[in-house]
Amino acid sequence: MDFAAAYSGGKDSALALYRIIRQGHRPVALITAVQIDEGRSWFHGIQKELLLGVSRSLGIPIIFSRCTPEDYQQTFEQSLIKARELGAQCCAFGDIDIEGHKAWNEERCTHAGLKLALPLWMEDREALVSEMLSAGFKAMVKIINNSLDQSLLGQDLTPALVEKIKAAGADPCGENGEYHTFVYDGPIFAHPVLFEKGRVVDLGTHKAIDIFI
């Protein structure tokens, strides 16, 4: 089956993509929502240039869903329709167990004439992080909320770092928004996506490290 993948640039979307490819399905597009005024991905704050680097390394075209908060839903559906026109029969998402996310994904896919795929659905969160790391993905901590220490920013996710996150009382997978990552290498990458680390930005409830080519 040909499919598109909703791709945030983070670890869960990378693992979902990896799994569905290993099942024998063929990716025709990545879909990433980006802020129309800043050119960065929503929630993870990854520059379009870096996402294009990911697209090239994965060998999968990327569709940028350029939107504001007000037209996020409509624009994402339009991007799904573009993926369907490229031959996609379904779209895969990296959501794990939040029912509201599943309902939103299902509604968008239905409106676009696609099936929904959730390769990680209802699996143990910590086990998924372990699987991602064991598979060889390299994921850097890009954003944290204020429950976590700023020193985590810019570090690669490792089993030891996951233990630190757990010790701070946060979900080891960050599924509740405790942290977001940028995946820059792994078993489905042809080569690492190189980047430089910049300054840490205080976003109020969250902090982020800037990264750039």
Side-chain angles (χ1 to χ4, degrees):
M1 180 171 60
D2 288 353
F3 72 95
Y7 196 82
S8 66
K11 59 181 177 49
D12 299 332
S13 58
L15 181 59
L17 176 64
Y18 175 61
R19 277 193 174 185
I20 198 167
I21 287 174
R22 292 191 72 191
Q23 291 169 4
H25 305 297
R26 187 176 76 93
V28 299
L30 306 172
I31 300 175
T32 304
V34 296
Q35 303 172 49
I36 198 167
D37 54 344
E38 294 192 22
R40 293 173 180 266
S41 64
W42 282 99
F43 311 116
H44 290 63
I46 301 167
Q47 291 181 338
K48 285 177 64 178
E49 292 78 8
L50 281 169
L51 292 164
L52 285 169
V54 169
S55 170
R56 286 190 290 268
S57 184
L58 292 173
I60 307 171
I62 190 167
I63 298 170
F64 288 116
S65 181
R66 300 176 65 251
C67 56
T68 65
E70 292 74 24
D71 65 1
Y72 187 105
Q73 178 173 302
Q74 178 185 0
T75 305
F76 197 86
E77 287 182 11
Q78 291 170 351
S79 297
L80 287 170
I81 291 170
K82 288 180 183 177
R84 189 192 68 200
E85 291 169 350
L86 292 173
Q89 298 164 276
C90 77
C91 184
F93 293 78
D95 293 289
I96 299 171
D97 56 22
I98 299 177
E99 289 288 347
H101 292 179
K102 177 185 178 183
W104 191 92
N105 298 341
E106 194 160 30
E107 188 173 1
R108 303 289 75 72
C109 285
T110 297
H111 289 175
L114 294 173
K115 296 177 181 178
L116 171 65
L118 295 169
L120 314 182
W121 190 246
M122 296 306 291
E123 296 194 28
D124 181 80
R125 294 179 180 186
E126 188 169 356
L128 289 171
V129 179
S130 296
E131 178 184 341
M132 183 272 304
L133 294 174
S134 296
F137 285 101
K138 303 295 183 183
M140 186 209 73
V141 178
K142 176 73 173 65
I143 295 180
I144 58 168
N145 70 13
N146 290 337
S147 70
L148 294 174
D149 190 271
Q150 180 175 316
S151 64
L152 271 64
L153 288 169
Q155 293 193 46
D156 273 9
L157 202 61
T158 62
L161 200 66
V162 172
E163 288 301 318
K164 285 186 180 180
I165 291 169
K166 286 172 58 182
D171 181 83
C173 196
E175 184 70 355
N176 303 311
E178 293 94 336
Y179 71 95
H180 296 295
T181 57
F182 171 58
V183 175
Y184 61 90
D185 196 11
I188 50 177
F189 285 69
H191 51 78
V193 178
L194 302 179
F195 60 91
E196 299 288 336
K197 298 176 187 178
R199 64 191 181 98
V200 171
V201 181
D202 191 334
L203 303 173
T205 59
H206 291 72
K207 292 181 176 65
I209 185 168
D210 195 20
I211 56 174
F212 52 89
I213 294 177

